[in-house]
Amino acid sequence: MYHYIYFHCLIHIILIFRVQATVKERNELDSKLCFHSSFAFGVATASFQIEGAWNVSGKGESIWDRYTHEHPERVFDHKNADVADGSYYKVKEDVQLLSQLGVNFYRFSISWPRILPDGLSNNVNEDGIRYYKELIEELRKNKITPVATMYHWDLPQSLQELGGWTNPIIADYFVDYARVLLDNFGDTVKVWLTFNEPLTFCENGYGGDDAPGGRSSGFEDYMCGHNVLRAHGMVYRMFDQKYRKITKGVMGITNVFPWIEPATTSREDQKAADAARQFMFGWYANPIFSQQGDYPQVMRKAVDANSKRQGFPRSRLPYFTAEEVEMIRGSFDFMGLNHYTTYLAAPGSGKISTKPSYQDDINAIITQKDEWPKSNSTWLRVVPWGFRRCLNWIKNAYNNPKILITENGVSFEAGLHDTKRVNYIDAYLRALHAAIYKDGCHVLGYTYWSLMDNFEWMRGYSERFGLYQVDYESQNLTRTPRLSAKYFSNVAKTGCLPDDYTDYTYNTD
Ligand code: GBH
């Protein structure tokens, strides 16, 4: 209990740097929708998507380097992230952008192969340590709290040669890597996330077409997930035992949870929606955040049964030992949550083919409504009310954990006058405000994805999520604030949503 209260306070204190004056300002504006002064605002990026310098000063090759070089045809615009936003060379410039925004924190990720070129801790690349130390120091000078993700998908290629996340040994190597990070940055980074979206990199990476391009759905994706959960639990336990006291930090994991609404109110659709939530979110949340731990029961039952029907002598979803269940259960100080959009679910046909597939295991038809406003990403429609439902579902399922929204954002066409993005952020923040102050959800802060346009994985540079526009034609990759940067900086600095958009020519088209 003591620990609980202690960490509750600690993460608040760590994230908050907002100036006192804004509290007064806010009291004068009762009519406005305001977040409590302890609520933190930030923006996020990820190493592979912004750094470039892919083979500079000792950095090793990552699976995304290899994949985009070998298969340019699989990337929408046939581009790669060799240069990306050049952030490796722009520490001061990028921190200036953050400072102009007035955000409390910056969520960035650390490139494993920049720190450990071969993935292994016997060879530490000093330039990698230097680079992140410079970034962290620059943030500190500007009173911006660093929030670091240990793994945002850029696995060292050398470890992929051993099977990557499908090989159980990788959990040990991830622990070694985490130890190097905590030894080097533990004194200055107080908020840690082990992983970004295991669902995405296991499902799309080992079950689909993202790097490393495993395309082994319903099989390698489950192995990946299993080892990621073990690796997370092991790193959290090491942190708890060896680093927590000396670093005074906190640690969590980021999962992605699109809201899943039943397509109709029928019992069948509700059941399908519940199963889909468990397969998408519960897969990674239940073992860590639920009272009982382990995989969600619907998932366990469905994959076990389907594996049997397909003639496998054992389930395609691996089993944790009793010790592993205990190690993973409760391995968090807070929950990182990425939320972008909402889907509808209806029951699938129940048919399975002999070839395993995650989709068959879920057995749901996932769609979106035509009338929901589109973005520039096929998977992302604007459905702010889904955010509130998502947060309430988590509150009920996992005993109202402390949540840090680690990503929320939207892609639109290039251009500086992005009223549609302003509209999206404002609407999602209103839904979040209701979830916190009307429903009692325990949310500590909000992170917009992304600080600036960047390499959008298989979509190349074709989808833009940035508050700052990046001019990829210009020599120095010029960053220019969009209207949404002005809007978001106003929100971050005051903690309030503006009443009207006279300044921003708000419209909802
Ligand atoms: C985030 O994931 C990532 O964490 C971040 O790196 C990324 O830049 C951001 O999204 C914006 O894209 O193409 O139909 O197969 C959000 C969840 C999961 C959404 C994978 C896109 C692929 C859908 N993502 N999904 S599809």
Side-chain angles (χ1 to χ4, degrees), residues 49 152-153 196-197 200 204 256 338 340 378-379 407 449 454 456-457 465:
Q49 296 179 269
H152 198 127
W153 311 355
N196 181 68
E197 297 188 0
T200 306
N204 295 13
V256 59
N338 292 357
Y340 288 85
T378 51
W379 55 273
E407 288 179 30
W449 179 275
N454 57 56
E456 270 297 330
W457 311 109
F465 283 79

mmCIF file with all atom_site columns, all heavy atoms in Angstrom, residues 49 152-153 196-197 200 204 256 338 340 378-379 407 449 454 456-457 465, ligand 1:
data_model
loop_
_atom_site.group_PDB
_atom_site.id
_atom_site.type_symbol
_atom_site.label_atom_id
_atom_site.label_alt_id
_atom_site.label_comp_id
_atom_site.label_asym_id
_atom_site.label_entity_id
_atom_site.label_seq_id
_atom_site.pdbx_PDB_ins_code
_atom_site.Cartn_x
_atom_site.Cartn_y
_atom_site.Cartn_z
_atom_site.occupancy
_atom_site.B_iso_or_equiv
_atom_site.pdbx_formal_charge
_atom_site.auth_seq_id
_atom_site.auth_comp_id
_atom_site.auth_asym_id
_atom_site.auth_atom_id
_atom_site.pdbx_PDB_model_num
ATOM   1   N N   . GLN A 1 49  ? 11.761 6.159  -36.634 1.00 0.00 ? 49  GLN A N   1
ATOM   2   C CA  . GLN A 1 49  ? 10.925 7.020  -37.455 1.00 0.00 ? 49  GLN A CA  1
ATOM   3   C C   . GLN A 1 49  ? 11.495 8.424  -37.657 1.00 0.00 ? 49  GLN A C   1
ATOM   4   O O   . GLN A 1 49  ? 11.081 9.126  -38.571 1.00 0.00 ? 49  GLN A O   1
ATOM   5   C CB  . GLN A 1 49  ? 9.516  7.096  -36.854 1.00 0.00 ? 49  GLN A CB  1
ATOM   6   C CG  . GLN A 1 49  ? 8.824  5.740  -36.867 1.00 0.00 ? 49  GLN A CG  1
ATOM   7   C CD  . GLN A 1 49  ? 7.430  5.789  -36.257 1.00 0.00 ? 49  GLN A CD  1
ATOM   8   O OE1 . GLN A 1 49  ? 7.256  5.580  -35.066 1.00 0.00 ? 49  GLN A OE1 1
ATOM   9   N NE2 . GLN A 1 49  ? 6.423  6.083  -37.075 1.00 0.00 ? 49  GLN A NE2 1
ATOM   10  N N   . HIS A 1 152 ? 10.855 0.367  -29.518 1.00 0.00 ? 152 HIS A N   1
ATOM   11  C CA  . HIS A 1 152 ? 9.789  0.782  -30.435 1.00 0.00 ? 152 HIS A CA  1
ATOM   12  C C   . HIS A 1 152 ? 10.127 0.193  -31.814 1.00 0.00 ? 152 HIS A C   1
ATOM   13  O O   . HIS A 1 152 ? 10.347 0.911  -32.785 1.00 0.00 ? 152 HIS A O   1
ATOM   14  C CB  . HIS A 1 152 ? 9.659  2.310  -30.468 1.00 0.00 ? 152 HIS A CB  1
ATOM   15  C CG  . HIS A 1 152 ? 8.357  2.816  -31.027 1.00 0.00 ? 152 HIS A CG  1
ATOM   16  N ND1 . HIS A 1 152 ? 7.543  3.707  -30.350 1.00 0.00 ? 152 HIS A ND1 1
ATOM   17  C CD2 . HIS A 1 152 ? 7.720  2.582  -32.188 1.00 0.00 ? 152 HIS A CD2 1
ATOM   18  C CE1 . HIS A 1 152 ? 6.472  3.998  -31.094 1.00 0.00 ? 152 HIS A CE1 1
ATOM   19  N NE2 . HIS A 1 152 ? 6.559  3.325  -32.221 1.00 0.00 ? 152 HIS A NE2 1
ATOM   20  N N   . TRP A 1 153 ? 10.301 -1.129 -31.837 1.00 0.00 ? 153 TRP A N   1
ATOM   21  C CA  . TRP A 1 153 ? 10.282 -1.950 -33.045 1.00 0.00 ? 153 TRP A CA  1
ATOM   22  C C   . TRP A 1 153 ? 11.590 -2.115 -33.802 1.00 0.00 ? 153 TRP A C   1
ATOM   23  O O   . TRP A 1 153 ? 11.658 -2.928 -34.725 1.00 0.00 ? 153 TRP A O   1
ATOM   24  C CB  . TRP A 1 153 ? 9.194  -1.480 -34.034 1.00 0.00 ? 153 TRP A CB  1
ATOM   25  C CG  . TRP A 1 153 ? 7.845  -1.282 -33.432 1.00 0.00 ? 153 TRP A CG  1
ATOM   26  C CD1 . TRP A 1 153 ? 7.460  -1.557 -32.151 1.00 0.00 ? 153 TRP A CD1 1
ATOM   27  C CD2 . TRP A 1 153 ? 6.681  -0.750 -34.079 1.00 0.00 ? 153 TRP A CD2 1
ATOM   28  N NE1 . TRP A 1 153 ? 6.137  -1.243 -31.972 1.00 0.00 ? 153 TRP A NE1 1
ATOM   29  C CE2 . TRP A 1 153 ? 5.636  -0.738 -33.134 1.00 0.00 ? 153 TRP A CE2 1
ATOM   30  C CE3 . TRP A 1 153 ? 6.420  -0.300 -35.364 1.00 0.00 ? 153 TRP A CE3 1
ATOM   31  C CZ2 . TRP A 1 153 ? 4.343  -0.284 -33.437 1.00 0.00 ? 153 TRP A CZ2 1
ATOM   32  C CZ3 . TRP A 1 153 ? 5.142  0.157  -35.676 1.00 0.00 ? 153 TRP A CZ3 1
ATOM   33  C CH2 . TRP A 1 153 ? 4.117  0.167  -34.717 1.00 0.00 ? 153 TRP A CH2 1
ATOM   34  N N   . ASN A 1 196 ? 6.704  -0.641 -26.906 1.00 0.00 ? 196 ASN A N   1
ATOM   35  C CA  . ASN A 1 196 ? 5.609  0.033  -27.574 1.00 0.00 ? 196 ASN A CA  1
ATOM   36  C C   . ASN A 1 196 ? 4.803  -0.967 -28.390 1.00 0.00 ? 196 ASN A C   1
ATOM   37  O O   . ASN A 1 196 ? 5.334  -1.592 -29.314 1.00 0.00 ? 196 ASN A O   1
ATOM   38  C CB  . ASN A 1 196 ? 6.115  1.124  -28.527 1.00 0.00 ? 196 ASN A CB  1
ATOM   39  C CG  . ASN A 1 196 ? 4.951  1.841  -29.201 1.00 0.00 ? 196 ASN A CG  1
ATOM   40  O OD1 . ASN A 1 196 ? 4.196  2.546  -28.553 1.00 0.00 ? 196 ASN A OD1 1
ATOM   41  N ND2 . ASN A 1 196 ? 4.780  1.631  -30.506 1.00 0.00 ? 196 ASN A ND2 1
ATOM   42  N N   . GLU A 1 197 ? 3.545  -1.136 -28.047 1.00 0.00 ? 197 GLU A N   1
ATOM   43  C CA  . GLU A 1 197 ? 2.586  -1.911 -28.848 1.00 0.00 ? 197 GLU A CA  1
ATOM   44  C C   . GLU A 1 197 ? 3.065  -3.296 -29.274 1.00 0.00 ? 197 GLU A C   1
ATOM   45  O O   . GLU A 1 197 ? 3.235  -3.564 -30.463 1.00 0.00 ? 197 GLU A O   1
ATOM   46  C CB  . GLU A 1 197 ? 2.188  -1.127 -30.106 1.00 0.00 ? 197 GLU A CB  1
ATOM   47  C CG  . GLU A 1 197 ? 1.477  0.155  -29.827 1.00 0.00 ? 197 GLU A CG  1
ATOM   48  C CD  . GLU A 1 197 ? 0.931  0.805  -31.101 1.00 0.00 ? 197 GLU A CD  1
ATOM   49  O OE1 . GLU A 1 197 ? 1.111  0.243  -32.207 1.00 0.00 ? 197 GLU A OE1 1
ATOM   50  O OE2 . GLU A 1 197 ? 0.304  1.860  -30.991 1.00 0.00 ? 197 GLU A OE2 1
ATOM   51  N N   . THR A 1 200 ? 1.136  -4.772 -32.173 1.00 0.00 ? 200 THR A N   1
ATOM   52  C CA  . THR A 1 200 ? 1.466  -4.373 -33.537 1.00 0.00 ? 200 THR A CA  1
ATOM   53  C C   . THR A 1 200 ? 2.730  -5.061 -34.032 1.00 0.00 ? 200 THR A C   1
ATOM   54  O O   . THR A 1 200 ? 2.747  -5.630 -35.119 1.00 0.00 ? 200 THR A O   1
ATOM   55  C CB  . THR A 1 200 ? 1.615  -2.840 -33.633 1.00 0.00 ? 200 THR A CB  1
ATOM   56  O OG1 . THR A 1 200 ? 0.436  -2.239 -33.110 1.00 0.00 ? 200 THR A OG1 1
ATOM   57  C CG2 . THR A 1 200 ? 1.825  -2.405 -35.071 1.00 0.00 ? 200 THR A CG2 1
ATOM   58  N N   . ASN A 1 204 ? 1.806  -7.692 -36.759 1.00 0.00 ? 204 ASN A N   1
ATOM   59  C CA  . ASN A 1 204 ? 2.171  -7.234 -38.103 1.00 0.00 ? 204 ASN A CA  1
ATOM   60  C C   . ASN A 1 204 ? 3.586  -7.659 -38.481 1.00 0.00 ? 204 ASN A C   1
ATOM   61  O O   . ASN A 1 204 ? 3.888  -7.836 -39.653 1.00 0.00 ? 204 ASN A O   1
ATOM   62  C CB  . ASN A 1 204 ? 2.037  -5.712 -38.213 1.00 0.00 ? 204 ASN A CB  1
ATOM   63  C CG  . ASN A 1 204 ? 0.590  -5.266 -38.047 1.00 0.00 ? 204 ASN A CG  1
ATOM   64  O OD1 . ASN A 1 204 ? -0.254 -6.047 -37.622 1.00 0.00 ? 204 ASN A OD1 1
ATOM   65  N ND2 . ASN A 1 204 ? 0.299  -4.025 -38.364 1.00 0.00 ? 204 ASN A ND2 1
ATOM   66  N N   . VAL A 1 256 ? -1.672 -0.859 -27.301 1.00 0.00 ? 256 VAL A N   1
ATOM   67  C CA  . VAL A 1 256 ? -2.597 -0.103 -28.155 1.00 0.00 ? 256 VAL A CA  1
ATOM   68  C C   . VAL A 1 256 ? -3.995 -0.699 -28.012 1.00 0.00 ? 256 VAL A C   1
ATOM   69  O O   . VAL A 1 256 ? -4.151 -1.919 -27.955 1.00 0.00 ? 256 VAL A O   1
ATOM   70  C CB  . VAL A 1 256 ? -2.120 -0.110 -29.635 1.00 0.00 ? 256 VAL A CB  1
ATOM   71  C CG1 . VAL A 1 256 ? -2.008 -1.514 -30.197 1.00 0.00 ? 256 VAL A CG1 1
ATOM   72  C CG2 . VAL A 1 256 ? -3.014 0.766  -30.516 1.00 0.00 ? 256 VAL A CG2 1
ATOM   73  N N   . ASN A 1 338 ? -1.960 3.622  -26.018 1.00 0.00 ? 338 ASN A N   1
ATOM   74  C CA  . ASN A 1 338 ? -2.090 4.287  -27.316 1.00 0.00 ? 338 ASN A CA  1
ATOM   75  C C   . ASN A 1 338 ? -3.506 4.087  -27.821 1.00 0.00 ? 338 ASN A C   1
ATOM   76  O O   . ASN A 1 338 ? -4.003 2.960  -27.860 1.00 0.00 ? 338 ASN A O   1
ATOM   77  C CB  . ASN A 1 338 ? -1.116 3.682  -28.334 1.00 0.00 ? 338 ASN A CB  1
ATOM   78  C CG  . ASN A 1 338 ? 0.336  3.984  -28.013 1.00 0.00 ? 338 ASN A CG  1
ATOM   79  O OD1 . ASN A 1 338 ? 0.635  4.704  -27.055 1.00 0.00 ? 338 ASN A OD1 1
ATOM   80  N ND2 . ASN A 1 338 ? 1.236  3.431  -28.797 1.00 0.00 ? 338 ASN A ND2 1
ATOM   81  N N   . TYR A 1 340 ? -6.186 5.507  -30.996 1.00 0.00 ? 340 TYR A N   1
ATOM   82  C CA  . TYR A 1 340 ? -6.368 6.355  -32.184 1.00 0.00 ? 340 TYR A CA  1
ATOM   83  C C   . TYR A 1 340 ? -7.791 6.346  -32.728 1.00 0.00 ? 340 TYR A C   1
ATOM   84  O O   . TYR A 1 340 ? -8.254 7.345  -33.258 1.00 0.00 ? 340 TYR A O   1
ATOM   85  C CB  . TYR A 1 340 ? -5.452 5.882  -33.324 1.00 0.00 ? 340 TYR A CB  1
ATOM   86  C CG  . TYR A 1 340 ? -3.984 6.188  -33.123 1.00 0.00 ? 340 TYR A CG  1
ATOM   87  C CD1 . TYR A 1 340 ? -3.164 5.331  -32.386 1.00 0.00 ? 340 TYR A CD1 1
ATOM   88  C CD2 . TYR A 1 340 ? -3.411 7.323  -33.688 1.00 0.00 ? 340 TYR A CD2 1
ATOM   89  C CE1 . TYR A 1 340 ? -1.810 5.598  -32.215 1.00 0.00 ? 340 TYR A CE1 1
ATOM   90  C CE2 . TYR A 1 340 ? -2.057 7.596  -33.522 1.00 0.00 ? 340 TYR A CE2 1
ATOM   91  C CZ  . TYR A 1 340 ? -1.271 6.734  -32.785 1.00 0.00 ? 340 TYR A CZ  1
ATOM   92  O OH  . TYR A 1 340 ? 0.071  7.008  -32.621 1.00 0.00 ? 340 TYR A OH  1
ATOM   93  N N   . THR A 1 378 ? -5.900 4.504  -43.796 1.00 0.00 ? 378 THR A N   1
ATOM   94  C CA  . THR A 1 378 ? -7.097 3.691  -44.046 1.00 0.00 ? 378 THR A CA  1
ATOM   95  C C   . THR A 1 378 ? -7.694 3.139  -42.750 1.00 0.00 ? 378 THR A C   1
ATOM   96  O O   . THR A 1 378 ? -8.899 2.926  -42.665 1.00 0.00 ? 378 THR A O   1
ATOM   97  C CB  . THR A 1 378 ? -6.761 2.494  -44.962 1.00 0.00 ? 378 THR A CB  1
ATOM   98  O OG1 . THR A 1 378 ? -5.622 1.829  -44.401 1.00 0.00 ? 378 THR A OG1 1
ATOM   99  C CG2 . THR A 1 378 ? -6.456 2.939  -46.374 1.00 0.00 ? 378 THR A CG2 1
ATOM   100 N N   . TRP A 1 379 ? -6.849 2.905  -41.760 1.00 0.00 ? 379 TRP A N   1
ATOM   101 C CA  . TRP A 1 379 ? -7.305 2.258  -40.523 1.00 0.00 ? 379 TRP A CA  1
ATOM   102 C C   . TRP A 1 379 ? -7.851 3.240  -39.489 1.00 0.00 ? 379 TRP A C   1
ATOM   103 O O   . TRP A 1 379 ? -8.344 2.821  -38.445 1.00 0.00 ? 379 TRP A O   1
ATOM   104 C CB  . TRP A 1 379 ? -6.143 1.474  -39.897 1.00 0.00 ? 379 TRP A CB  1
ATOM   105 C CG  . TRP A 1 379 ? -4.906 2.301  -39.659 1.00 0.00 ? 379 TRP A CG  1
ATOM   106 C CD1 . TRP A 1 379 ? -3.903 2.544  -40.554 1.00 0.00 ? 379 TRP A CD1 1
ATOM   107 C CD2 . TRP A 1 379 ? -4.558 3.019  -38.467 1.00 0.00 ? 379 TRP A CD2 1
ATOM   108 N NE1 . TRP A 1 379 ? -2.947 3.361  -39.986 1.00 0.00 ? 379 TRP A NE1 1
ATOM   109 C CE2 . TRP A 1 379 ? -3.313 3.661  -38.707 1.00 0.00 ? 379 TRP A CE2 1
ATOM   110 C CE3 . TRP A 1 379 ? -5.163 3.180  -37.204 1.00 0.00 ? 379 TRP A CE3 1
ATOM   111 C CZ2 . TRP A 1 379 ? -2.676 4.455  -37.747 1.00 0.00 ? 379 TRP A CZ2 1
ATOM   112 C CZ3 . TRP A 1 379 ? -4.523 3.957  -36.252 1.00 0.00 ? 379 TRP A CZ3 1
ATOM   113 C CH2 . TRP A 1 379 ? -3.301 4.595  -36.525 1.00 0.00 ? 379 TRP A CH2 1
ATOM   114 N N   . GLU A 1 407 ? 0.097  7.704  -26.750 1.00 0.00 ? 407 GLU A N   1
ATOM   115 C CA  . GLU A 1 407 ? -0.102 8.158  -28.129 1.00 0.00 ? 407 GLU A CA  1
ATOM   116 C C   . GLU A 1 407 ? -1.584 8.371  -28.402 1.00 0.00 ? 407 GLU A C   1
ATOM   117 O O   . GLU A 1 407 ? -2.424 7.566  -28.010 1.00 0.00 ? 407 GLU A O   1
ATOM   118 C CB  . GLU A 1 407 ? 0.400  7.122  -29.167 1.00 0.00 ? 407 GLU A CB  1
ATOM   119 C CG  . GLU A 1 407 ? 1.890  6.998  -29.270 1.00 0.00 ? 407 GLU A CG  1
ATOM   120 C CD  . GLU A 1 407 ? 2.332  5.940  -30.289 1.00 0.00 ? 407 GLU A CD  1
ATOM   121 O OE1 . GLU A 1 407 ? 1.605  5.693  -31.289 1.00 0.00 ? 407 GLU A OE1 1
ATOM   122 O OE2 . GLU A 1 407 ? 3.403  5.363  -30.074 1.00 0.00 ? 407 GLU A OE2 1
ATOM   123 N N   . TRP A 1 449 ? 0.726  12.066 -30.754 1.00 0.00 ? 449 TRP A N   1
ATOM   124 C CA  . TRP A 1 449 ? 1.593  11.468 -31.765 1.00 0.00 ? 449 TRP A CA  1
ATOM   125 C C   . TRP A 1 449 ? 1.319  12.179 -33.059 1.00 0.00 ? 449 TRP A C   1
ATOM   126 O O   . TRP A 1 449 ? 0.229  12.051 -33.580 1.00 0.00 ? 449 TRP A O   1
ATOM   127 C CB  . TRP A 1 449 ? 1.339  9.956  -31.937 1.00 0.00 ? 449 TRP A CB  1
ATOM   128 C CG  . TRP A 1 449 ? 2.239  9.416  -33.006 1.00 0.00 ? 449 TRP A CG  1
ATOM   129 C CD1 . TRP A 1 449 ? 2.021  9.415  -34.360 1.00 0.00 ? 449 TRP A CD1 1
ATOM   130 C CD2 . TRP A 1 449 ? 3.548  8.838  -32.816 1.00 0.00 ? 449 TRP A CD2 1
ATOM   131 N NE1 . TRP A 1 449 ? 3.092  8.890  -35.017 1.00 0.00 ? 449 TRP A NE1 1
ATOM   132 C CE2 . TRP A 1 449 ? 4.038  8.528  -34.098 1.00 0.00 ? 449 TRP A CE2 1
ATOM   133 C CE3 . TRP A 1 449 ? 4.334  8.573  -31.698 1.00 0.00 ? 449 TRP A CE3 1
ATOM   134 C CZ2 . TRP A 1 449 ? 5.305  7.955  -34.294 1.00 0.00 ? 449 TRP A CZ2 1
ATOM   135 C CZ3 . TRP A 1 449 ? 5.572  8.001  -31.898 1.00 0.00 ? 449 TRP A CZ3 1
ATOM   136 C CH2 . TRP A 1 449 ? 6.045  7.696  -33.185 1.00 0.00 ? 449 TRP A CH2 1
ATOM   137 N N   . ASN A 1 454 ? 6.951  11.974 -39.813 1.00 0.00 ? 454 ASN A N   1
ATOM   138 C CA  . ASN A 1 454 ? 8.090  11.053 -39.757 1.00 0.00 ? 454 ASN A CA  1
ATOM   139 C C   . ASN A 1 454 ? 7.853  9.825  -40.615 1.00 0.00 ? 454 ASN A C   1
ATOM   140 O O   . ASN A 1 454 ? 6.843  9.745  -41.322 1.00 0.00 ? 454 ASN A O   1
ATOM   141 C CB  . ASN A 1 454 ? 8.384  10.678 -38.300 1.00 0.00 ? 454 ASN A CB  1
ATOM   142 C CG  . ASN A 1 454 ? 7.189  10.075 -37.612 1.00 0.00 ? 454 ASN A CG  1
ATOM   143 O OD1 . ASN A 1 454 ? 6.625  9.086  -38.080 1.00 0.00 ? 454 ASN A OD1 1
ATOM   144 N ND2 . ASN A 1 454 ? 6.775  10.664 -36.496 1.00 0.00 ? 454 ASN A ND2 1
ATOM   145 N N   . GLU A 1 456 ? 6.529  6.623  -41.527 1.00 0.00 ? 456 GLU A N   1
ATOM   146 C CA  . GLU A 1 456 ? 5.370  5.868  -41.036 1.00 0.00 ? 456 GLU A CA  1
ATOM   147 C C   . GLU A 1 456 ? 5.430  4.396  -41.445 1.00 0.00 ? 456 GLU A C   1
ATOM   148 O O   . GLU A 1 456 ? 4.485  3.860  -42.046 1.00 0.00 ? 456 GLU A O   1
ATOM   149 C CB  . GLU A 1 456 ? 4.083  6.514  -41.538 1.00 0.00 ? 456 GLU A CB  1
ATOM   150 C CG  . GLU A 1 456 ? 3.528  7.573  -40.598 1.00 0.00 ? 456 GLU A CG  1
ATOM   151 C CD  . GLU A 1 456 ? 3.124  6.983  -39.246 1.00 0.00 ? 456 GLU A CD  1
ATOM   152 O OE1 . GLU A 1 456 ? 2.742  5.810  -39.180 1.00 0.00 ? 456 GLU A OE1 1
ATOM   153 O OE2 . GLU A 1 456 ? 3.217  7.740  -38.262 1.00 0.00 ? 456 GLU A OE2 1
ATOM   154 N N   . TRP A 1 457 ? 6.541  3.749  -41.138 1.00 0.00 ? 457 TRP A N   1
ATOM   155 C CA  . TRP A 1 457 ? 6.687  2.307  -41.374 1.00 0.00 ? 457 TRP A CA  1
ATOM   156 C C   . TRP A 1 457 ? 6.295  1.940  -42.807 1.00 0.00 ? 457 TRP A C   1
ATOM   157 O O   . TRP A 1 457 ? 6.815  2.560  -43.732 1.00 0.00 ? 457 TRP A O   1
ATOM   158 C CB  . TRP A 1 457 ? 5.859  1.523  -40.323 1.00 0.00 ? 457 TRP A CB  1
ATOM   159 C CG  . TRP A 1 457 ? 6.130  2.000  -38.913 1.00 0.00 ? 457 TRP A CG  1
ATOM   160 C CD1 . TRP A 1 457 ? 5.283  2.715  -38.114 1.00 0.00 ? 457 TRP A CD1 1
ATOM   161 C CD2 . TRP A 1 457 ? 7.338  1.842  -38.139 1.00 0.00 ? 457 TRP A CD2 1
ATOM   162 N NE1 . TRP A 1 457 ? 5.887  2.992  -36.891 1.00 0.00 ? 457 TRP A NE1 1
ATOM   163 C CE2 . TRP A 1 457 ? 7.147  2.471  -36.879 1.00 0.00 ? 457 TRP A CE2 1
ATOM   164 C CE3 . TRP A 1 457 ? 8.562  1.217  -38.381 1.00 0.00 ? 457 TRP A CE3 1
ATOM   165 C CZ2 . TRP A 1 457 ? 8.125  2.489  -35.884 1.00 0.00 ? 457 TRP A CZ2 1
ATOM   166 C CZ3 . TRP A 1 457 ? 9.537  1.239  -37.376 1.00 0.00 ? 457 TRP A CZ3 1
ATOM   167 C CH2 . TRP A 1 457 ? 9.310  1.861  -36.161 1.00 0.00 ? 457 TRP A CH2 1
ATOM   168 N N   . PHE A 1 465 ? 1.484  12.783 -39.386 1.00 0.00 ? 465 PHE A N   1
ATOM   169 C CA  . PHE A 1 465 ? 0.818  12.913 -38.077 1.00 0.00 ? 465 PHE A CA  1
ATOM   170 C C   . PHE A 1 465 ? 1.336  14.118 -37.290 1.00 0.00 ? 465 PHE A C   1
ATOM   171 O O   . PHE A 1 465 ? 0.941  14.327 -36.144 1.00 0.00 ? 465 PHE A O   1
ATOM   172 C CB  . PHE A 1 465 ? 1.082  11.657 -37.225 1.00 0.00 ? 465 PHE A CB  1
ATOM   173 C CG  . PHE A 1 465 ? 0.252  10.449 -37.617 1.00 0.00 ? 465 PHE A CG  1
ATOM   174 C CD1 . PHE A 1 465 ? 0.583  9.661  -38.704 1.00 0.00 ? 465 PHE A CD1 1
ATOM   175 C CD2 . PHE A 1 465 ? -0.881 10.103 -36.866 1.00 0.00 ? 465 PHE A CD2 1
ATOM   176 C CE1 . PHE A 1 465 ? -0.174 8.546  -39.048 1.00 0.00 ? 465 PHE A CE1 1
ATOM   177 C CE2 . PHE A 1 465 ? -1.645 8.986  -37.201 1.00 0.00 ? 465 PHE A CE2 1
ATOM   178 C CZ  . PHE A 1 465 ? -1.284 8.207  -38.291 1.00 0.00 ? 465 PHE A CZ  1
HETATM 179 C C1  . GBH B 2 .   ? 1.182  3.762  -33.796 1.00 0.00 ? 1   GBH B C1  1
HETATM 180 O O1  . GBH B 2 .   ? 0.461  2.564  -33.801 1.00 0.00 ? 1   GBH B O1  1
HETATM 181 C C2  . GBH B 2 .   ? 2.669  3.485  -33.690 1.00 0.00 ? 1   GBH B C2  1
HETATM 182 O O2  . GBH B 2 .   ? 3.038  3.273  -32.338 1.00 0.00 ? 1   GBH B O2  1
HETATM 183 C C3  . GBH B 2 .   ? 3.518  4.611  -34.255 1.00 0.00 ? 1   GBH B C3  1
HETATM 184 O O3  . GBH B 2 .   ? 4.848  4.199  -34.403 1.00 0.00 ? 1   GBH B O3  1
HETATM 185 C C4  . GBH B 2 .   ? 2.942  5.074  -35.571 1.00 0.00 ? 1   GBH B C4  1
HETATM 186 O O4  . GBH B 2 .   ? 3.696  6.105  -36.132 1.00 0.00 ? 1   GBH B O4  1
HETATM 187 C C5  . GBH B 2 .   ? 1.514  5.536  -35.332 1.00 0.00 ? 1   GBH B C5  1
HETATM 188 O O5  . GBH B 2 .   ? 0.785  4.425  -34.937 1.00 0.00 ? 1   GBH B O5  1
HETATM 189 C C6  . GBH B 2 .   ? 0.815  6.115  -36.558 1.00 0.00 ? 1   GBH B C6  1
HETATM 190 O O6  . GBH B 2 .   ? 0.684  5.186  -37.588 1.00 0.00 ? 1   GBH B O6  1
HETATM 191 O O7  . GBH B 2 .   ? -2.148 -0.736 -42.291 1.00 0.00 ? 1   GBH B O7  1
HETATM 192 O O8  . GBH B 2 .   ? -4.348 -1.667 -41.948 1.00 0.00 ? 1   GBH B O8  1
HETATM 193 O O9  . GBH B 2 .   ? -2.398 -3.018 -41.484 1.00 0.00 ? 1   GBH B O9  1
HETATM 194 C C7  . GBH B 2 .   ? -0.956 2.680  -33.925 1.00 0.00 ? 1   GBH B C7  1
HETATM 195 C C8  . GBH B 2 .   ? -1.603 1.327  -34.172 1.00 0.00 ? 1   GBH B C8  1
HETATM 196 C C9  . GBH B 2 .   ? -1.330 -0.587 -35.546 1.00 0.00 ? 1   GBH B C9  1
HETATM 197 C C10 . GBH B 2 .   ? -2.177 1.416  -36.474 1.00 0.00 ? 1   GBH B C10 1
HETATM 198 C C11 . GBH B 2 .   ? -1.019 -1.101 -36.946 1.00 0.00 ? 1   GBH B C11 1
HETATM 199 C C12 . GBH B 2 .   ? -1.879 0.913  -37.864 1.00 0.00 ? 1   GBH B C12 1
HETATM 200 C C13 . GBH B 2 .   ? -1.699 -1.046 -39.242 1.00 0.00 ? 1   GBH B C13 1
HETATM 201 C C14 . GBH B 2 .   ? -3.039 -1.120 -39.887 1.00 0.00 ? 1   GBH B C14 1
HETATM 202 N N1  . GBH B 2 .   ? -1.286 0.846  -35.512 1.00 0.00 ? 1   GBH B N1  1
HETATM 203 N N2  . GBH B 2 .   ? -1.950 -0.536 -37.880 1.00 0.00 ? 1   GBH B N2  1
HETATM 204 S S1  . GBH B 2 .   ? -2.970 -1.694 -41.516 1.00 0.00 ? 1   GBH B S1  1
#
